[in-house]
Amino acid sequence: MSKTPDRESPGSLKGEGSHTGGTGGLWGGRFEGAMAPEMRTLNDSLSIDFRLWRQDIRGSRSWARALCAAGVLSEDEAETLDRGLASVAARLGRRGVERATDEDVHSLVERLLFKEVGEVAGKLHTGRSRNDQVATDLRLWGQEAASRTEGLVVDLLEALVELAERSRQLVMPGYTHLQQAQPIRASQWALAHFWAFLRDRQRVRRAADSASVLPLGSGAIAGCPFPVDRERLRQDLGFRSISENSVDAVSDRDWVVEMIFVGSMIGVHLSRLAEDLVLFSSTEFGFLRLGDGYCTGSSLMPQKRNPDVAELARGKSGRLVGNLTGILTLIKGLPTGYNRDLQEDKALLFDTVDTLTLTLPPMAGAVGSAEFRRARLEEVLDSQLLATDLAEYLVRRGKPFRASHEVVGKLVRIAEARGRSLNELPFETFREVDAAFDRDVHEVFGWERSVESRSVPGGSSTSAIQSQLEEARRHLAAPPGAAPAS
């Protein structure tokens, strides 16, 4: 699993067993024997969920305040718990969790709290289950992760806009079926990727909103028997709303699916951008050059300059799509209520966020380093790219488009048979094929004329590109969660 900025490097906190002294940790009173060693290996999740310790402590401090307000804890007890939880946070921040033997992060925090404040720590779990506790912790983490991910997507969006602005005057072949189709501005290509990633940014925001539903107070399944103020809890923890149903709240992982889906879509869009970069930077295309910092060489061939940043990003997309398959398969057959299968949701979610955190920055850097090669673009532009413009020439003279399409198709075939470019055919040949052609026909064969003729919104003319850039900048200027300025 890749490292992320928020993931702690485990320190040296050796576990000392459960504070309960029983055979089964937090639930040992029901059992006579100890958990089988091989079962414990399967059961324990601290190696995965330890990164939730900040959220676990934050939620626990808020829960202590809620229990106090509900009359379950005295003010002295609540203050003691809060102070103890702050000390646990400081300890974990200094020393990490390496070699701790606790079952999970929740058991770890509770054990350390007992060490800090004694038996009053046993009151903290009143009315709370690990079912609503872990759901709350993960939602808190997910909202923070979504915010970080959005910031990384914005960095890539800005790099694409800057590339588009640098390449407004360049005309390149546009492709369908990987065949030259029509001329476009290089800006149009860069902005095509911008709009795809902008949709991803919007999806990240929606996933964050879906995560912002408070499950705390739902208990294990039936709700909390004490009069805790869930609305006050919501405000205290910064959630947008509270869950409507306790049974649903402890098992709802829809937002996790959404976040992993967003990650898979970002991965797909990264893969498509990467494929273009690999092709366009090849000798055969030669349209652009990536900065040296984003390429590698060969251990054998001295001349090689490989666009590894794009190939690695393209490879990561498979991992992201795989995580989506994993989470959907995980939840598809679960009965109502919490099931232990859901322990697996965190590994899939964490890996998705980690992979995006690893992949997005170098791709943004690579796009920022990219430079189009004007001479090569001009060299590869083939006059057949203007075949559609030639058909439109006839349309403007009253000929139906389908008939115009057939006429130009014949001219293309004639040019190929003669081994000449379409624009090299003499006027007489055009006139022989269709009398609607006039002597100004060769004026059609101009790259600037072609792209400038497509001035509708979203088109490739200078004015249309400028409108796109302005709209793109408005979207980038909008704060997280807000619509762009009008």
Side-chain angles (χ1 to χ4, degrees):
M1 189 176 298
S2 307
K3 288 186 177 179
T4 64
D6 78 301
R7 179 169 181 174
E8 311 80 2
S9 297
S12 56
L13 184 66
K14 183 173 179 59
E16 300 171 8
S18 169
H19 62 269
T20 65
T23 59
L26 302 180
W27 39 264
R30 169 65 176 81
F31 295 81
E32 292 185 4
M35 182 181 288
E38 62 271 25
M39 173 58 186
R40 178 151 192 174
T41 303
L42 174 65
N43 177 76
D44 291 359
S45 61
L46 183 60
S47 62
I48 298 296
D49 62 30
F50 73 85
R51 71 170 74 189
L52 296 176
W53 68 262
R54 291 184 178 88
Q55 291 76 26
D56 194 74
I57 290 174
R58 182 182 170 194
S60 292
R61 295 178 78 174
S62 184
W63 185 246
R65 290 189 288 270
L67 289 177
C68 180
V72 177
L73 297 177
S74 69
E75 290 188 5
D76 286 345
E77 289 172 328
E79 290 175 4
T80 298
L81 288 171
D82 188 76
R83 185 170 59 253
L85 287 165
S87 296
V88 171
R91 180 174 180 176
L92 288 173
R94 289 192 310 269
R95 301 172 60 183
V97 297
E98 187 174 314
R99 295 199 302 273
T101 58
D102 304 85
E103 176 181 333
D104 55 26
V105 67
H106 321 294
S107 304
L108 170 66
V109 170
E110 186 164 345
R111 175 173 63 80
L112 294 178
L113 182 60
F114 265 84
K115 293 185 68 173
E116 292 289 338
V117 302
E119 289 304 310
V120 70
K123 293 190 174 185
L124 178 61
H125 208 57
T126 304
R128 183 176 68 168
S129 166
R130 276 195 295 180
N131 294 358
D132 61 346
Q133 184 179 0
V134 67
T136 301
D137 293 354
L138 193 59
R139 285 175 180 269
L140 286 169
W141 187 92
Q143 293 173 75
E144 296 166 9
S147 178
R148 293 192 301 272
T149 301
E150 181 182 352
L152 297 177
V153 173
V154 168
D155 291 342
L156 178 55
L157 289 169
E158 290 177 343
L160 287 165
V161 167
E162 289 166 5
L163 178 60
E165 289 177 335
R166 295 197 306 271
S167 55
R168 279 181 291 183
Q169 302 308 314
L170 301 179
V171 178
M172 66 178 286
Y175 288 82
T176 64
H177 308 278
L178 203 54
Q179 306 294 315
Q180 288 196 11
Q182 290 181 277
I184 61 173
R185 294 198 181 278
S187 294
Q188 186 80 326
W189 169 83
L191 287 169
H193 288 289
F194 172 89
W195 297 113
F197 285 108
L198 180 65
R199 293 192 294 273
D200 290 331
R201 180 190 185 185
Q202 294 163 345
R203 291 186 186 101
V204 172
R205 290 177 175 177
R206 291 195 290 270
D209 287 344
S210 294
S212 193
V213 179
L214 176 72
L216 194 58
S218 298
I221 190 170
C224 180
F226 303 99
V228 295
D229 188 339
R230 296 191 69 209
E231 177 60 24
R232 184 172 175 179
L233 273 171
R234 180 196 69 78
Q235 295 174 7
D236 194 23
L237 290 171
F239 284 84
R240 289 177 179 266
S241 62
I242 61 174
S243 57
E244 301 288 348
N245 181 286
S246 61
V247 178
D248 176 59
V250 297
S251 60
D252 173 24
R253 296 299 186 272
D254 290 3
W255 74 269
V256 176
V257 176
E258 289 180 47
M259 189 65 189
I260 294 176
F261 167 73
V262 172
S264 69
M265 282 303 304
I266 294 174
V268 167
H269 289 147
L270 284 171
S271 185
R272 296 184 68 185
L273 172 59
E275 178 69 7
D276 280 357
L277 293 178
V278 170
L279 287 172
F280 289 175
S281 63
S282 69
T283 301
E284 288 72 18
F285 281 78
F287 291 177
L288 56 75
R289 182 181 177 89
L290 299 177
D292 283 352
Y294 301 96
C295 298
T296 67
S298 165
S299 63
L300 177 66
M301 298 167 284
Q303 84 281 9
K304 292 300 294 297
R305 191 173 184 278
N306 303 321
D308 278 16
V309 63
E311 294 174 23
L312 290 166
R314 190 173 57 189
K316 292 295 184 184
S317 67
R319 185 184 189 115
L320 293 165
V321 172
N323 287 342
L324 178 60
T325 302
I327 190 65
L328 289 171
T329 304
L330 175 67
I331 67 174
K332 73 173 184 62
L334 297 183
T336 305
Y338 180 81
N339 296 271
R340 193 64 182 277
D341 313 51
L342 292 175
Q343 182 167 296
E344 294 298 312
D345 62 352
K346 288 171 283 298
L348 296 166
L349 176 63
F350 293 164
D351 186 72
T352 289
V353 174
D354 290 350
T355 301
L356 293 174
T357 302
L358 183 70
T359 309
L360 281 165
M363 281 294 283
V367 170
S369 77
E371 293 292 342
F372 280 100
R373 302 171 65 192
R374 180 188 292 271
R376 177 59 178 166
L377 291 176
E378 293 173 351
E379 179 185 352
V380 300
L381 287 167
D382 189 301
S383 64
Q384 288 195 9
L385 282 161
L386 299 170
T388 305
D389 297 75
L390 197 59
E392 292 160 355
Y393 170 96
L394 293 175
V395 168
R396 292 186 175 94
R397 281 159 175 74
K399 200 171 189 68
F401 178 77
R402 282 300 171 202
S404 300
H405 188 285
E406 183 176 356
V407 167
V408 175
K410 292 178 181 178
L411 287 166
V412 170
R413 190 169 67 250
I414 291 170
E416 289 178 343
R418 296 180 183 179
R420 306 179 72 176
S421 297
L422 191 60
N423 64 325
E424 292 175 340
L425 294 175
F427 167 67
E428 290 74 20
T429 301
F430 285 98
R431 196 61 178 264
E432 288 171 6
V433 174
D434 196 288
F437 285 112
D438 206 343
R439 290 192 176 277
D440 63 350
V441 63
H442 284 94
E443 294 178 7
V444 169
F445 297 101
W447 310 119
E448 282 292 329
R449 177 194 173 281
S450 177
V451 294
E452 285 302 305
S453 71
R454 305 178 195 285
S455 58
V456 297
S460 55
S461 71
T462 300
S463 61
I465 292 292
Q466 183 60 34
S467 295
Q468 280 193 70
L469 287 168
E470 291 171 0
E471 184 67 12
R473 286 295 185 191
R474 281 196 290 271
H475 278 283
L476 287 175
S486 60

